[in-house]
Amino acid sequence: MRKIHDVILAHEEDRGETFLGSLWGKNPVFLCAIGTTETAKIPGISAAGRYPDLTDYTPPADVELLLLGRCKCIPGVPVTPEGIPTPALITMSALRLADIPALVVSGGLNVNPHVPFLDLGGAPGRDIREGRAVDNVEEVLGRARIVGENLAKIADYLVVGESIPGGTTTALGVMLAMGVDAGGKVSSSMPDNPHELKIETVKAGMKVSGVEFGSLAENPVEAVSCVGDPMVPAFAGVTLGAAREVPVLMAGGTQIGAVLAVVEALDRDVLCNVAIGTTRWIVSDKTADLKGIIAQIADVPILAADLDFSQSRLEGLRAYEAGVVKEGVGAGGAAIAAMAKSEGAITKEILLGEIERNYELLVGSQ
Amino acid sequence: MRKIHDVILAHEEDRGETFLGSLWGKNPVFLCAIGTTETAKIPGISAAGRYPDLTDYTPPADVELLLLGRCKCIPGVPVTPEGIPTPALITMSALRLADIPALVVSGGLNVNPHVPFLDLGGAPGRDIREGRAVDNVEEVLGRARIVGENLAKIADYLVVGESIPGGTTTALGVMLAMGVDAGGKVSSSMPDNPHELKIETVKAGMKVSGVEFGSLAENPVEAVSCVGDPMVPAFAGVTLGAAREVPVLMAGGTQIGAVLAVVEALDRDVLCNVAIGTTRWIVSDKTADLKGIIAQIADVPILAADLDFSQSRLEGLRAYEAGVVKEGVGAGGAAIAAMAKSEGAITKEILLGEIERNYELLVGSQ
């Protein structure tokens, strides 16, 4: 795989190089799409909170970190059960280094953040095993589209990230309903990826909703409504609204497959303006297959920030090399945007230094 | 008074000319700060709704018009009791002509709009005659500041407008509490300006809150909390956050005095980056005195869009010349921004043509 500065061209390399070139030296806006789903509270599904009910606090805490530099709704920062900190630390460090503005869009939350967020008229998601997991999908999509359209008038491009615990499971739901064979291919924030539990959860949701593999390929709104989560329409709507005018770097791991499938089904003409931005940990994840997911949906490039924490002096960061966390809150895309905005002046080493500094400030002081 | 293209330099002319020059050809973001207050439901205070309870729908309907091109929460558009349409028609026409992006910040609403809005953790305002009219003022200010800081990273400048029925009365409350002698000087959207009723209302609120003229000059948060409204901290916070980095055109009528007083008390260093943007109808309003208000607070310029509807073929627009409505939803500032972004190519005649077209589409079809 070719590299340009510290960005790996992980898929559709030539298009990826052109796309990265179009971001070089330009001014983006970072948008974080958040939501919650009761699906995250199924034991074993998510590592995003130490206790199931804490998953409600992860998305608001993540965006507080981005906008305030610290969390307000919880002490410290969100951590995995092993104490490994949220990837929002990477995102926040990248945005600060490159002075990139950030906004938050909410698809539906149980707990609101103590920072400004764009309300899209959504509601928190239910456990997909019950079916009808998400309300107001069409409305959230439409309002998010307005946000994307307006930001595209002022930003050179958008970077869109997400935070929703349990999101790889609901993403699997959307993808299977839409005919993307993602079973066994989605990533996990835990080193032991609970594929069987995720598939079983999704199958239960599909059964109760009367959905079969691919039966909603042409109906993404219904796919999200039945077995998805409220982050997906927020993320997809922003992308649909912006990508008609400016490039959109869709930042995240395998979850982005669900968002991309929705975007592709609603307006495939915008895909020429879209790339996936992720981390090296995702593209080298042996327990998942981002490329195998994306290639089923569309010919969009995958760019991966070549982050390497193996030499970090902080154990909590070295854990990323063991396959914990890997990605989230648009960490990879934000890192790529910081590198691109600074025309390569922000290297992965400089970024790691900033992440370590923020880690010690925020986690070391707990 | 000097004019540059179709912008009147109405106060502090030299600074105004420099300020306008700094906007010429640049790309702004328009922000609309909205809120509701029960004060608007006092009979005779506000013309923003035909019936008192309809005032809850005016701000959401106004921002729906800006972002969607039509209202969703009400049929048609907001009108005065005489049927004269909202100034949001002017704002929306200006933003569309000049392709200026818009975002909405809410300080606290009884009815949410069907478009995306930035939630700032506020609540609807109470009747100021009861005292303690606004909750969470400090929180709303702080969150709005984050919005302003982030938008200043990407926009060349901000235009901030407002929509809150009853707002001139609550603005009078804030100004009197802070020692700005604005009695008899605030505008009204009605031709007969009910100064006595406004002063009486504010005095009742000040009495129950234990506030005297000027006693809260150094405590703007308390002034807004006692006798203000939730739009003021949203508007002031955005201005405080952005004006450290980029120019801010504070768009509105005499209400802007309350916002300016709050900004001045919290951070007077930003005032060099601030101007008031309004309409000719406000600066030539014989029943009010914007200049007399602003001059008491700070040496900021006043720019007025030289809008002239006297020759309009539509009676509802000609009514603006008789002193109905006059300003609101940042109409004057949006008009100035459209003229400045287009470097004068958008003239007042072109703007009137667009307003007439939108008027017929939206009002003519009722």
Side-chain angles (χ1 to χ4, degrees):
Chain A
M1 287 187 289
R2 270 151 59 202
K3 258 183 65 175
I4 296 175
H5 291 265
D6 290 329
V7 180
I8 303 164
L9 304 174
H11 181 57
E12 297 278 351
E13 300 188 12
D14 292 340
R15 286 177 191 227
E17 183 169 355
T18 307
F19 189 93
L20 184 61
S22 75
L23 316 186
W24 217 245
K26 297 296 176 63
N27 283 314
V29 168
F30 182 87
L31 240 135
C32 192
I34 57 178
T36 50
T37 165
E38 293 300 307
T39 313
K41 299 177 185 174
I42 300 170
I45 283 273
S46 170
R50 193 185 288 267
Y51 303 102
D53 282 350
L54 274 187
T55 60
D56 287 340
Y57 290 85
T58 303
D62 278 339
V63 296
E64 288 169 3
L65 196 54
L66 295 190
L67 291 179
L68 290 177
R70 64 192 170 84
C71 300
K72 276 187 98 170
C73 68
I74 61 167
V77 302
V79 294
T80 68
E82 305 82 27
I84 308 306
T86 172
L89 265 175
I90 301 173
T91 315
M92 169 250 205
S93 301
L95 299 181
R96 296 203 154 198
L97 271 180
D99 203 28
I100 295 172
L103 288 170
V104 176
V105 292
S106 163
L109 292 165
N110 275 327
V111 175
N112 285 337
H114 294 262
V115 290
F117 63 95
L118 283 151
D119 185 299
L120 302 176
R126 288 179 285 271
D127 186 331
I128 58 171
R129 294 175 304 184
E130 297 162 20
R132 306 309 309 172
V134 190
D135 297 329
N136 293 345
V137 172
E138 189 113 46
E139 182 72 23
V140 171
L141 260 170
R143 294 199 202 177
R145 199 189 278 255
I146 294 173
V147 174
E149 286 167 354
N150 277 278
L151 292 177
K153 293 183 203 285
I154 192 81
D156 290 332
Y157 67 99
L158 297 196
V159 186
V160 191
E162 55 65 43
S163 174
I164 179 162
T168 56
T169 302
T170 42
L172 178 61
V174 174
M175 289 191 281
L176 292 182
M178 293 186 68
V180 179
D181 178 15
K185 292 187 169 69
V186 293
S187 282
S188 168
S189 53
M190 297 176 285
D192 295 317
N193 194 338
H195 282 304
E196 288 313 313
L197 176 59
K198 290 179 184 181
I199 291 171
E200 199 181 284
T201 301
V202 168
K203 289 208 162 149
M206 289 171 73
K207 192 172 175 195
V208 73
S209 297
V211 173
E212 288 174 29
F213 177 76
S215 68
L216 295 175
E218 304 300 321
N219 195 341
V221 169
E222 190 65 9
V224 174
S225 302
C226 289
V227 288
D229 66 57
M231 178 282 291
V232 170
F235 194 137
V238 167
T239 305
L240 286 161
R244 285 216 156 255
E245 298 296 332
V246 298
V248 176
L249 186 61
M250 299 175 71
T254 48
Q255 275 165 278
I256 302 305
V259 183
L260 188 68
V262 171
V263 169
E264 196 273 342
L266 291 174
D267 186 2
R268 61 182 54 93
D269 290 349
V270 304
L271 294 174
C272 57
N273 247 345
V274 160
I276 312 291
T278 192
T279 63
R280 183 179 60 82
W281 304 302
I282 289 288
V283 294
S284 60
D285 181 3
K286 298 271 180 294
T287 76
D289 184 7
L290 176 62
K291 221 185 292 188
I293 289 173
I294 299 303
Q296 291 180 59
I297 304 166
D299 294 335
V300 301
I302 300 175
L303 307 175
D306 186 25
L307 301 176
D308 185 345
F309 291 174
S310 61
Q311 303 305 312
S312 174
R313 55 192 160 83
L314 299 168
E315 198 188 331
L317 293 179
R318 288 199 302 275
Y320 273 70
E321 296 298 328
V324 186
V325 183
K326 298 185 191 80
E327 171 61 290
V329 200
I336 293 167
M339 294 166 181
K341 183 174 176 184
S342 67
E343 299 184 290
I346 297 173
T347 61
K348 63 180 178 178
E349 291 81 13
I350 290 174
L351 184 54
L352 176 57
E354 177 74 13
I355 295 164
E356 287 178 329
R357 220 175 351 266
N358 288 321
Y359 185 102
E360 288 180 312
L361 268 172
L362 291 159
V363 186
S365 64
Q366 273 183 87
Chain B
M1 288 188 288
R2 268 151 58 202
K3 260 183 65 176
I4 296 176
H5 290 264
D6 289 329
V7 181
I8 303 165
L9 305 174
H11 181 56
E12 296 279 350
E13 299 188 13
D14 291 342
R15 287 177 189 226
E17 182 168 358
T18 307
F19 189 94
L20 184 61
S22 75
L23 314 186
W24 217 246
K26 296 298 175 62
N27 283 314
V29 168
F30 182 88
L31 240 133
C32 192
I34 57 177
T36 50
T37 167
E38 292 300 307
T39 313
K41 298 177 186 173
I42 301 171
I45 283 274
S46 170
R50 192 185 290 266
Y51 303 102
D53 283 349
L54 274 187
T55 60
D56 287 341
Y57 290 84
T58 303
D62 277 339
V63 296
E64 287 168 4
L65 195 54
L66 295 190
L67 291 178
L68 289 177
R70 65 192 169 85
C71 301
K72 275 186 99 169
C73 68
I74 61 167
V77 302
V79 292
T80 68
E82 304 82 30
I84 308 307
T86 173
L89 265 176
I90 301 174
T91 315
M92 169 251 205
S93 301
L95 298 180
R96 296 204 152 197
L97 271 181
D99 203 27
I100 295 171
L103 288 170
V104 176
V105 292
S106 163
L109 292 166
N110 275 328
V111 175
N112 285 336
H114 294 262
V115 291
F117 63 95
L118 283 150
D119 183 301
L120 303 175
R126 288 180 285 272
D127 186 331
I128 59 171
R129 293 175 305 184
E130 296 161 21
R132 306 311 307 171
V134 190
D135 297 330
N136 293 343
V137 172
E138 190 113 46
E139 182 72 22
V140 171
L141 259 170
R143 293 198 201 177
R145 199 189 278 256
I146 294 172
V147 174
E149 285 167 356
N150 276 279
L151 293 177
K153 293 183 204 287
I154 192 81
D156 291 331
Y157 68 99
L158 297 196
V159 185
V160 191
E162 54 66 42
S163 173
I164 180 165
T168 56
T169 302
T170 42
L172 178 62
V174 173
M175 289 193 279
L176 292 182
M178 293 186 69
V180 179
D181 179 15
K185 293 186 168 67
V186 292
S187 282
S188 169
S189 53
M190 296 176 286
D192 295 317
N193 194 337
H195 282 303
E196 289 312 313
L197 176 59
K198 290 178 182 180
I199 292 171
E200 196 181 287
T201 302
V202 168
K203 288 208 162 148
M206 289 171 72
K207 191 171 176 194
V208 73
S209 297
V211 174
E212 288 174 26
F213 177 77
S215 69
L216 295 175
E218 303 300 321
N219 196 341
V221 169
E222 190 65 10
V224 174
S225 301
C226 290
V227 288
D229 66 57
M231 177 282 291
V232 170
F235 194 136
V238 167
T239 305
L240 286 160
R244 285 216 156 258
E245 299 295 333
V246 298
V248 177
L249 186 62
M250 298 175 71
T254 49
Q255 275 166 279
I256 302 305
V259 183
L260 188 68
V262 170
V263 169
E264 197 273 342
L266 291 174
D267 186 1
R268 62 181 54 92
D269 291 350
V270 304
L271 294 175
C272 57
N273 246 345
V274 161
I276 312 292
T278 191
T279 62
R280 182 178 61 82
W281 304 302
I282 289 287
V283 294
S284 61
D285 180 3
K286 298 269 181 296
T287 77
D289 184 6
L290 175 62
K291 221 186 292 187
I293 289 173
I294 298 303
Q296 291 179 59
I297 303 165
D299 294 335
V300 301
I302 300 175
L303 307 175
D306 187 25
L307 301 175
D308 184 347
F309 291 174
S310 60
Q311 303 305 313
S312 174
R313 55 192 160 83
L314 299 168
E315 197 187 331
L317 293 178
R318 287 198 304 272
Y320 273 70
E321 296 297 328
V324 186
V325 183
K326 299 186 189 77
E327 171 61 291
V329 200
I336 293 168
M339 294 167 182
K341 184 174 176 186
S342 67
E343 299 184 289
I346 297 172
T347 60
K348 63 180 179 178
E349 291 80 14
I350 289 173
L351 184 53
L352 176 57
E354 178 73 13
I355 295 164
E356 288 178 330
R357 216 171 359 262
N358 288 321
Y359 184 102
E360 288 180 313
L361 268 171
L362 291 158
V363 186
S365 63
Q366 274 183 85

